[in-house]
Amino acid sequence: MKSMGVDVDSVREYVRRHRLRHEQELADWIAVPSVSATGEGMEQATPYARELLERSGLSSRVVETGGWPLVVGHVAGPADTPHVVIYGHYDVQPAGPLEEWHSPPFKAIVREGRMYGRGTGDNKGQHLAQLLALRALRDIHGGPPCSVTVVLDGEEEIGSPHLTGTLAAIREDLAADLAVWSDGPVHDSYEPTVALGVRGVVAFEITVRGANSALHSGNWGNVAPNPAWELIWLLSTMRGPDGQVTVDGYDAGVTPLTDAELDAVRALPIDPAAMLAEAGLDRMDTGRGQDVNERLAMPTFSINSLTCMDNDEHRTVIPSVAVARCDMRLACGQRVETVIDAVRAHVGKHLPHAELRFGATMEASRTLPDAPYADLVLRGVTEAHGKQALAVPAMGGSLPIAALTDGLALPCYGIALANVDERNHAPNENLELHRFHQGIVTAASVLSSIGRR
């Protein structure tokens, strides 16, 4: 039988009654470290994630990947209703500098309406909101208004190297109609947001070596090559002062935004001055006149850090090594392999003795505004918030969503639930608790909208 949808107000009341229990569940989940980069806590986190799926009414299993596993759960909805895949990830970033945390990273603390801890916003709080929505629908209505498969990734923070292949291996279980995910912050205007795409990423490290140890800058100046200068010269050939990336071929295949996507971008509210001021900035990066929202859909080249590996000691030396850690964000149409080849060729041409090592990569993903179910997802978010949701063609950050859009040919929709200042990947990561609770309502409303299509 066809689903008739659910009463979102009843979900809202359910969330109100179970507010403290839900917050405790989030705090308990934060207390389970799950750092994929180091392995800290991962062996305990995988069965814990499975238990969360079981608690929320899904039959679950652990799927081996060759790396950290996927945790997959399923619950059937009424016959002849759509099948939705919900993607999230249970791994988190390393804590980072402990002295910069105001409280222990893996002990959730609530201050002024926010829960602090590693994974609160990225991504435990957001996928837990999705699971609690399924639990609410089970407790109130006996089950969801459509069939749902939840996929929790254990390797997102290291680039999800095994996700595409593993999803292909279980493709029959994922014969769905669409996918949704909740990750990242809402739009900078703090309005409810649906993201239709994500940028890809290629991370890399350039190392330039000189002598076998640091050398006295007086005794060796003008004689020994300086790796720091060589690295700076190399970087200056990769991006000009006008912001133009000058790596030949890196942007091959970039697909311009469609008219509908441009209309959506230009309709997004933005106050550039306020946005910059909140980040302590008095200027925008160099560029060619695009507004903020258009820039966030374009390719980038960022230097993440520069170091001479000198332990922050200033000595009058010619360093023996210089290292730049960088990333390129990929717009739709760019391919990871093409970008890697372009960077490798550029470095080889301009500084052949530089060492180049590539890290995490993700392909860009794109779902067009007129794709199937786009209007239903937007309607569900709009109804949950009582105001029109924004459609963002491309989220600035990167997620392995191409494994769903390209690998499984599913239209994919991002329902961001976290606050703009969630500080994901940084010390003092946090999630506004009212957004966590509203996220449960929003997730249920989206499923309801899809189920009554």
Side-chain angles (χ1 to χ4, degrees):
M1 61 184 252
K2 183 67 70 68
S3 169
M4 299 303 292
V6 300
D7 177 9
V8 174
D9 284 339
S10 65
V11 178
R12 206 181 311 275
E13 174 59 20
Y14 178 94
V15 170
R16 186 194 65 78
R17 286 189 285 109
H18 296 284
R19 183 182 185 92
L20 294 179
R21 187 186 76 184
H22 292 165
E23 291 178 11
Q24 186 60 54
E25 286 198 63
L26 177 54
D28 292 344
W29 195 195
I30 299 306
V32 182
S34 51
V35 184
S36 53
T38 65
E40 181 185 1
M42 290 298 293
E43 291 186 1
Q44 294 75 37
T46 301
Y48 196 99
R50 183 177 184 180
E51 180 187 337
L52 285 176
L53 268 62
E54 294 280 350
R55 279 189 227 163
S56 300
L58 295 91
S59 59
S60 69
R61 62 190 176 115
V62 173
V63 178
E64 297 300 331
T65 68
W68 300 118
L70 296 181
V71 180
V72 178
H74 180 76
V75 58
D80 300 322
T81 57
H83 180 189
V84 182
V85 172
I86 298 175
Y87 170 84
H89 64 92
Y90 67 95
D91 66 324
V92 301
Q93 282 280 316
L98 294 179
E99 67 274 12
E100 295 183 22
W101 283 85
H102 300 320
S103 51
F106 296 111
K107 181 179 180 181
I109 299 294
V110 175
R111 296 192 300 272
E112 298 180 350
R114 299 176 185 234
M115 183 175 289
Y116 289 82
R118 179 59 85 220
T120 47
D122 186 16
N123 174 257
K124 290 178 176 178
Q126 300 209 49
H127 69 243
L128 181 58
Q130 292 277 1
L131 293 176
L132 292 174
L134 289 168
R135 191 184 308 177
L137 293 170
R138 178 199 64 189
D139 292 351
I140 298 168
H141 298 283
C146 51
S147 294
V148 174
T149 297
V150 173
V151 175
L152 296 184
D153 185 358
E155 297 187 315
E156 192 275 341
E157 297 294 5
I158 55 173
S160 298
H162 300 97
L163 182 62
T164 298
T166 305
L167 293 185
I170 60 171
R171 190 183 186 99
E172 289 186 7
D173 298 339
L174 302 173
D177 299 285
L178 73 156
V180 300
W181 50 270
S182 293
D183 204 338
V186 296
H187 185 258
D188 286 336
S189 63
Y190 281 89
E191 296 299 318
T193 305
V194 175
L196 302 177
V198 295
R199 290 195 288 197
V201 67
V202 172
F204 56 94
E205 180 178 282
I206 303 171
T207 301
V208 183
R209 300 186 189 278
N212 55 16
S213 66
L215 299 174
H216 190 285
S217 62
N219 295 341
W220 285 93
N222 294 334
V223 175
N226 188 315
W229 275 118
E230 291 182 320
L231 179 58
I232 290 168
W233 290 327
L234 172 61
L235 293 170
S236 72
T237 69
M238 301 179 78
R239 186 179 190 264
D242 61 353
Q244 181 71 33
V245 178
T246 50
V247 177
D248 289 343
Y250 94 103
D251 57 351
V254 170
T255 306
L257 296 178
T258 65
D259 289 343
E261 288 174 312
L262 282 171
D263 288 343
V265 165
R266 290 164 182 164
L268 296 173
I270 194 71
D271 183 343
M275 176 184 175
L276 293 169
E278 187 172 347
L281 294 168
D282 61 2
R283 64 196 182 281
M284 194 178 293
D285 192 14
T286 54
R288 291 168 291 176
Q290 297 90 350
D291 69 19
V292 169
N293 291 311
E294 286 184 69
R295 288 179 180 223
L296 290 174
M298 297 172 62
T300 72
F301 172 37
S302 298
I303 300 171
N304 308 135
S305 68
L306 290 170
T307 179
C308 290
M309 311 294 285
D310 58 0
N311 296 318
D312 293 326
E313 297 171 354
H314 176 71
R315 293 171 289 152
T316 52
V317 298
I318 297 171
S320 63
V321 63
V323 180
R325 295 183 175 93
C326 309
D327 72 54
M328 287 183 166
R329 300 287 172 164
L330 280 52
C332 260
Q334 285 179 284
R335 304 297 298 178
V336 163
E337 184 176 359
T338 302
V339 173
I340 288 175
D341 288 345
V343 172
R344 185 176 282 122
H346 186 97
V347 172
K349 174 183 176 182
H350 290 271
L351 196 65
H353 62 270
E355 301 168 13
L356 184 61
R357 185 179 68 85
F358 290 93
T361 64
M362 291 181 186
E363 301 285 3
S365 172
R366 183 184 206 174
T367 296
L368 295 175
D370 60 352
Y373 299 96
D375 56 336
L376 298 180
V377 174
L378 280 162
R379 182 178 72 185
V381 178
T382 296
E383 290 178 352
H385 288 265
K387 62 170 72 173
Q388 181 61 46
L390 302 176
V392 179
M395 188 179 79
S398 303
L399 286 165
I401 302 306
L404 299 166
T405 54
D406 299 355
L408 299 179
L410 297 178
C412 203
Y413 305 98
I415 307 163
L417 304 178
N419 34 292
V420 173
D421 56 349
E422 62 173 318
R423 294 184 60 81
N424 47 336
H425 295 201
N428 302 307
E429 181 180 343
N430 68 91
L431 179 64
E432 291 179 325
L433 287 172
H434 78 88
R435 292 187 181 277
F436 171 58
H437 297 296
Q438 176 61 43
I440 302 170
V441 177
T442 300
S445 180
V446 168
L447 293 176
S448 174
S449 181
I450 292 167
R452 67 176 192 267
R453 79 192 196 293

